Amino acid sequence: GCADSFPSFFAFMLFQKNNFLKAASHENGISRRLFLGYAAALYSIPTIGQTANIKHRMKFASNPFSLGVASGDSNSTSTVLWTRLAPEPLDPNGGMPNLAVPVKWRVSTDDNMKNIVASGQQLATPQLGHSVHVTVGQLKPDNWYWYQFSVNGEESVVGRTRTMPKKFASPEQMSFAFASCQSLEQGYFTAYDSMAQDELDLVFHLGDYIYEYTAGNQGTIRKHHGKEIESLSDYRVRHAQYKMDPLLQKMHARCPWFVTWDDHELDNNCADDISEQKNVKPVDFLIRRAAAYQAYYENMPLRRTSIPSGPSMQLYRKGSFGQLAEFTVLDGRQYRSNQPNNDVRSPINEAALNPGSTMLGREQRNWLKQSLIQSRGTWNIIAQQVMMGMVGTSNNKNSMNYSMDQWPGYTHERMDLLRFMEDRKISNPVVLTGDIHSNWANELRTDDRKMETPTVAAEFVGTSIASGGDGQDRIKNQDKLISDNPFIKFHNRQRGYVKCTLTQKTWTTDYMVADKVTTPDGKITKRTSLVLENGSSTIQQA
């Protein structure tokens, strides 16, 4: 539909709630099919360029590019360029009128923006929070580019991006970082300042880009605005508050990002349409989810294939760096069944071993297996959210307890996935993980409790950017933790990020840690370097 006749999904949903509940009562409660039927019928994104209400000459009282620029989801011939017009970023509408505004963009082969190789114009519409997502095609493979946006004489900073090598190319090396968990209430984003000095090809962000809690819930280093976020306006303002961070902006402008969410982009420990709060109806939660997904798309450099349809959004996808590495980016929240054992740390019991429980959902799981079989990459990167290593802690009954929000809560699916990798001889599978605010290096087996069985994959878990405050190098019961779980090859609880350098022969993981994040003058150092050799999932010291 045209932008000026764009239906307000959220207003309609609230208006139609009685209809929903009435329909739901006939289906013994709300079903995904019923809800998505409503959503799909109502929800369409305005076609770019077909709108009557265009504001060509708009004067801005302050910088319309206050949220910076970003790029992402690059392949060998194209990339996505992103910005969002917000002269008043903490206003629910970003200080923008209810009108579409044309934004110019250009791409150059030099940082002075002299040799322009692509340019154009795209409308920033109020329906998409005045965000701009430009897919620039027909670029040369394995090349660096610079880009800039402008609107009515105002120019953004210049960002840098790159295309990936051709599918069948054999690049000698790639380097990337991965990060997660950046509560601005608990610390400064010092890690991004260091990361911006690394010459990286790309970044994976593995979730908890924002936190949804009410102001002051986590700390007072920098306070969130307002109550716990639930509406589209709330989510937009919260994203803007994070995007205003200068170090985060600096890193977004350095290279393309591949992003995925975990739980805090919506609601802590959510599972599909189930809220952490026990009294929330699925229909109400899906209305909130639609708002969260909409704001997430508006604020990330994602392709149009990820435009949300109500409470659904296609986020799992794959990419490659020639034949050196292929990667899958997973969504471990949207399709998962409820955490077993009331989400309380528990032994791996019948509920955790339930074959019907899933973290990925059937379609995504099948897609992942197919992607791994078809991969031509020397290294197969699985970028996802929660720890796959079956890390247990002793309980009083001489048995071990495990996190039910992580992969041990979905042990049947986890074992099936690792058995598949082993049976199909997937080349060098490496799992990247966030979520847990600590660094880990784990050697994964089909069942990590059986150390006599072969190692199938390696897992590198990255700590938080800021969540949890300053952290510590070692915990007091660290030796017992590792003797109880001998597949753990490294553990540390400082803040920071993880940097990986790949060649055809080796994978090197550097754990970069901050001495402190509660003040802005923290120092980042390399805590340790670990190495994998092509053909082996044994983790060694560099």
Side-chain angles (χ1 to χ4, degrees):
C2 300
D4 51 338
S5 63
F6 180 75
S8 170
F9 174 80
F10 304 102
F12 191 95
M13 290 308 245
L14 296 167
F15 180 69
Q16 288 285 56
K17 196 133 136 229
N18 288 338
N19 291 0
F20 262 122
L21 298 174
K22 205 181 291 179
S25 69
H26 289 295
E27 293 214 13
N28 299 318
I30 192 82
S31 73
R32 163 175 255 101
R33 185 184 61 75
L34 174 68
F35 189 89
L36 296 185
Y38 274 105
L42 292 169
Y43 204 73
S44 61
I45 291 295
T47 306
I48 298 300
Q50 291 187 338
T51 182
N53 297 327
I54 300 179
K55 184 90 166 172
H56 280 284
R57 301 300 309 160
M58 184 181 171
K59 282 281 168 259
F60 297 98
S62 53
N63 176 17
F65 299 108
S66 63
L67 304 180
V69 301
S71 70
D73 278 17
S74 296
N75 61 28
S76 62
T77 57
S78 70
T79 190
V80 177
L81 308 181
W82 172 92
T83 193
R84 189 178 149 218
L85 302 182
E88 295 169 37
L90 298 180
D91 176 85
N93 298 314
M96 293 294 290
N98 191 23
L99 296 165
V101 178
V103 177
K104 292 180 176 164
W105 57 271
R106 53 200 187 118
V107 175
S108 173
T109 56
D110 64 294
D111 58 357
N112 296 317
M113 303 302 295
K114 294 281 188 264
N115 185 32
I116 303 298
V117 291
S119 61
Q121 180 173 288
Q122 195 166 102
L123 286 179
T125 64
Q127 293 82 13
L128 282 175
H130 288 99
S131 63
V132 178
H133 298 74
V134 180
T135 303
V136 186
Q138 297 180 304
L139 298 173
K140 287 183 178 171
D142 204 7
N143 260 265
W144 285 97
Y145 291 95
W146 286 260
Y147 62 95
Q148 189 175 35
F149 295 94
S150 62
V151 59
N152 296 345
E154 302 263 7
E155 291 186 330
S156 74
V157 298
V158 174
R160 186 177 77 148
T161 190
R162 67 159 301 158
T163 51
M164 302 293 110
K166 279 184 187 165
K167 192 174 183 180
F168 299 114
S170 293
E172 286 179 19
Q173 184 176 309
M174 77 175 284
S175 61
F176 65 85
F178 66 94
S180 65
C181 306
Q182 49 194 42
S183 168
L184 57 77
E185 290 203 332
Q186 294 184 304
Y188 291 92
F189 296 172
T190 311
Y192 286 129
D193 200 27
S194 171
M195 199 190 283
Q197 292 158 47
D198 299 332
E199 281 301 316
L200 301 174
D201 294 302
L202 54 100
V203 168
F204 293 105
H205 197 287
L206 304 177
D208 299 343
Y209 190 98
I210 62 165
Y211 281 76
E212 81 282 19
Y213 298 126
T214 188
N217 173 285
Q218 293 185 287
T220 54
I221 302 290
R222 300 177 288 177
K223 268 179 108 166
H224 287 143
H225 287 269
K227 60 180 184 12
E228 176 150 341
I229 53 178
E230 294 189 2
S231 70
L232 178 56
S233 293
D234 293 342
Y235 281 102
R236 280 175 171 166
V237 169
R238 189 62 57 87
H239 272 282
Q241 196 182 355
Y242 278 72
K243 275 283 196 291
M244 287 166 69
D245 183 275
L247 300 181
L248 178 58
Q249 285 194 19
K250 180 178 174 183
M251 192 57 227
H252 267 300
R254 289 293 292 161
C255 67
W257 286 41
F258 290 80
V259 299
T260 186
W261 52 43
D262 192 15
D263 49 350
H264 291 289
E265 287 85 353
L266 170 53
D267 180 39
N268 180 50
N269 281 24
C270 55
D272 190 0
D273 58 1
I274 301 162
S275 168
E276 182 185 37
Q277 289 82 34
K278 301 294 179 223
N279 58 345
V280 178
K281 293 182 179 133
V283 62
D284 292 325
F285 191 67
L286 286 171
I287 290 168
R288 179 181 180 182
R289 192 169 97 176
Y293 284 12
Q294 172 80 16
Y296 187 82
Y297 177 78
E298 291 173 356
N299 285 281
M300 296 294 162
L302 290 163
R303 290 182 180 263
R304 288 179 70 82
T305 46
S306 291
I307 286 176
S309 174
S312 292
M313 185 167 156
Q314 174 68 46
L315 202 57
Y316 64 84
R317 58 209 191 280
K318 60 184 173 180
S320 69
F321 199 86
Q323 291 188 318
L324 179 56
E326 292 206 10
F327 46 88
T328 49
V329 180
L330 305 187
D331 175 354
R333 287 288 164 188
Q334 189 175 179
Y335 314 104
R336 70 155 77 185
S337 42
N338 201 10
Q339 292 91 344
N341 300 311
N342 294 316
D343 202 4
V344 174
R345 288 188 71 85
S346 313
I348 293 179
N349 55 17
E350 195 178 345
L353 287 162
N354 177 4
S357 288
T358 178
M359 187 177 292
L360 301 178
R362 183 171 48 89
E363 279 184 30
Q364 182 179 200
R365 184 173 65 244
N366 291 345
W367 166 87
L368 173 59
K369 287 179 176 180
Q370 190 177 6
S371 301
L372 290 169
I373 289 176
Q374 292 171 343
S375 169
R376 296 170 176 270
T378 299
W379 303 96
N380 279 288
I381 300 167
I382 300 169
Q384 55 96 55
Q385 293 78 5
V386 295
M387 190 141 76
M388 211 172 263
M390 295 166 68
V391 175
T393 50
S394 307
N395 61 26
N396 298 328
K397 298 172 183 169
N398 292 325
S399 66
M400 303 282 268
N401 284 344
Y402 298 82
S403 167
M404 295 294 107
D405 186 58
Q406 295 166 10
W407 277 97
Y410 304 82
T411 292
H412 183 274
E413 185 176 54
R414 180 205 173 279
M415 287 183 175
D416 170 71
L417 197 53
L418 280 146
R419 197 176 294 115
F420 173 86
M421 291 183 206
E422 185 177 23
D423 290 348
R424 295 304 183 95
K425 304 195 166 27
I426 302 304
S427 173
N428 298 310
V430 181
V431 178
L432 308 181
T433 301
D435 175 60
I436 198 174
H437 308 174
S438 42
N439 288 311
W440 308 71
N442 302 322
E443 291 176 351
L444 302 179
R445 291 163 170 79
T446 300
D447 185 339
D448 289 341
R449 297 166 299 179
K450 297 178 178 172
M451 286 297 291
E452 70 281 5
T453 58
T455 307
V456 177
E459 177 180 37
F460 297 114
V461 183
T463 187
S464 59
I465 291 285
S467 304
D470 287 333
Q472 63 204 104
D473 183 30
R474 279 176 66 87
I475 52 171
K476 64 173 190 281
N477 58 345
Q478 183 142 328
D479 291 340
K480 178 165 178 25
L481 176 76
I482 291 173
S483 68
D484 284 346
N485 301 275
F487 58 86
I488 301 171
K489 300 302 166 188
F490 173 67
H491 179 52
N492 161 279
R493 295 199 185 182
Q494 289 167 286
R495 308 285 80 90
Y497 67 101
V498 183
K499 182 171 72 173
C500 301
T501 307
L502 283 57
T503 69
Q504 291 291 348
K505 290 183 176 173
T506 60
W507 170 307
T508 306
T509 297
D510 297 329
Y511 286 89
M512 310 299 292
V513 299
D515 58 349
K516 56 180 179 290
V517 294
T518 47
T519 56
D521 55 347
K523 300 281 182 290
I524 302 277
T525 54
K526 188 195 296 184
R527 174 62 182 76
T528 193
S529 279
L530 302 175
V531 175
L532 294 170
E533 290 179 3
N534 183 350
S536 167
S537 42
T538 303
I539 298 169
Q540 304 172 56
Q541 278 294 139

